[in-house]
Amino acid sequence: MLTADTSFAGYAFAGAPLDRADALRDDAQALAGLWPEAKVLVLDADGTAFADDHGQPFLATGQQLGAGPGASIFLGRDDNGVPWFVAEAASLTVQAPQRIDLRQAAANWPAEAADIFSYARGMSYWHSRNRYCGVCGATIRFGRAGFIGHCDQCGTEHYPRVDPAVIVAVENQGRLLLGRQPNWAPRRYSVLAGFVEPGESFEQTVAREVFEESKVRVLQARYLGTQPWPFPGALMVGFMATAQDDTPTVNGELEDARWFSLADITAAMQREQADDGQGILLPPRISIARSLIEHWVQRQQA
């Protein structure tokens, strides 16, 4: 059984602010009764959310929107019992002063609201990419408050999906392996990551992805935690790994990969506020990638 390392935390989207209330998804009458008091997060087709003049969540109520839940997706109930839904802006007449993307929300919204946005974004993306049956091509009809898609033509049922990916801090002799992709901001480096392929365990994916991207051979890996990453629909599974003393070599997927010392990493952290154009840039604090790096630093300094 996998259990998360309790000392490993600090990234966005990993909270559980809602009781998902699965039992209510089949009860259309109960959901209609909850609708007037519901908080409704409104998303545009590109996944941005309605925000107020200050960039904070703009939450309509079901009563303000009128009618009933319709095609809105029921997300669950918060600690106060208030129901939450997500709705597509195109289906509503309500307007808001601003739009905000999920990365901005993670940095500026209360954590609970950003977590709900993450959940809503993932469900909205799944709906947008599954309007037609992948088996026969017929139109999908969504039910169970948005959590099942049914094809009336061939009978296939479709369920929400996420794409699992490993993300790993690889160390050797007090050094950390970081790489960069060519489309990243200049000087940005991060830990290595890759999607799980059919027939693989997470540990096998760690070894394969690290070797494919850097030709560094992993010896062992230890699970730390996970982060939902709806950009657009991944689940990042975080590991710490030890590797052989190989020279990183890239072959196109990465632009560069190197071993960095503790001094290199701590200097990058110290320079972040000033950003003097020197050294490397690390991943943003909302990401599990950054938490993996900080966890490694803490272990080295202990």
Side-chain angles (χ1 to χ4, degrees):
M1 177 179 176
L2 288 177
T3 57
D5 186 327
T6 56
S7 67
F8 178 68
Y11 43 88
F13 314 136
L18 296 180
D19 171 2
R20 299 198 175 204
D22 175 83
L24 290 174
R25 293 173 183 170
D26 283 317
D27 194 336
Q29 184 175 353
L31 293 176
L34 292 174
W35 177 250
E37 64 173 321
K39 292 182 178 180
V40 184
L41 185 66
V42 182
L43 301 187
D44 272 326
D46 62 0
T48 56
F50 279 21
D52 64 20
D53 289 315
H54 305 289
Q56 292 300 300
F58 179 94
L59 299 173
T61 66
Q63 186 174 22
Q64 289 172 331
L65 298 178
S72 300
I73 303 169
F74 174 59
L75 301 175
R77 306 180 80 162
D78 63 25
D79 290 342
N80 296 316
V82 176
W84 284 69
F85 290 77
V86 58
E88 294 183 358
S91 67
L92 306 172
T93 58
V94 66
Q95 294 296 322
Q98 295 189 44
R99 303 294 187 272
I100 190 168
D101 66 34
L102 187 49
R103 286 182 173 86
Q104 291 176 301
N108 298 304
W109 284 12
E112 293 80 4
D115 290 344
I116 294 172
F117 185 177
S118 168
Y119 171 22
R121 175 71 180 91
M123 289 299 300
S124 176
Y125 177 81
W126 177 68
H127 270 230
S128 71
R129 294 301 186 274
N130 289 273
R131 299 190 187 278
Y132 301 95
C133 179
V135 177
C136 71
T139 301
I140 291 294
R141 173 175 54 85
F142 290 103
R144 290 206 80 233
F147 279 79
I148 186 171
H150 184 79
C151 177
D152 292 327
Q153 180 164 291
C154 71
T156 301
E157 292 184 339
H158 302 266
Y159 297 89
R161 295 286 188 267
V162 296
D163 298 316
V166 300
I167 184 164
V168 53
V170 181
E171 63 179 358
N172 170 269
Q173 299 179 15
R175 302 173 301 168
L176 184 65
L177 179 64
L178 300 180
R180 64 166 279 107
Q181 295 183 11
N183 60 334
W184 287 355
R187 301 185 290 117
R188 174 83 70 197
Y189 279 78
S190 185
V191 292
L192 274 54
F195 285 101
V196 180
E197 294 184 350
E200 279 189 322
S201 68
F202 289 137
E203 295 82 0
Q204 290 166 343
T205 306
V206 167
R208 176 184 57 78
E209 282 288 345
V210 171
F211 185 75
E212 285 180 0
E213 293 185 0
S214 69
K215 296 300 182 285
V216 171
R217 293 166 292 174
V218 167
L219 297 171
Q220 60 180 2
R222 179 170 62 90
Y223 167 77
L224 290 180
T226 59
Q227 181 185 34
W229 193 247
F231 301 106
L235 175 68
M236 306 305 295
V237 185
F239 287 86
M240 181 70 67
T242 57
Q244 296 196 23
D245 189 17
D246 295 325
T247 301
T249 305
V250 298
N251 61 1
E253 186 170 352
L254 294 179
E255 181 179 79
D256 187 29
R258 308 179 205 169
W259 292 111
F260 290 88
S261 68
L262 176 61
D264 295 329
I265 302 299
T266 54
M269 291 178 173
Q270 292 166 359
R271 281 196 299 262
E272 278 183 323
Q273 296 302 318
D275 191 11
D276 57 8
Q278 303 298 314
I280 63 170
L281 297 176
L282 299 176
R285 295 183 183 279
I286 67 168
S287 66
I288 193 173
R290 177 56 176 263
S291 288
L292 285 166
I293 293 171
E294 292 182 352
H295 184 76
W296 177 81
V297 168
Q298 291 168 4
R299 291 178 68 245
Q300 295 298 309
Q301 293 175 336

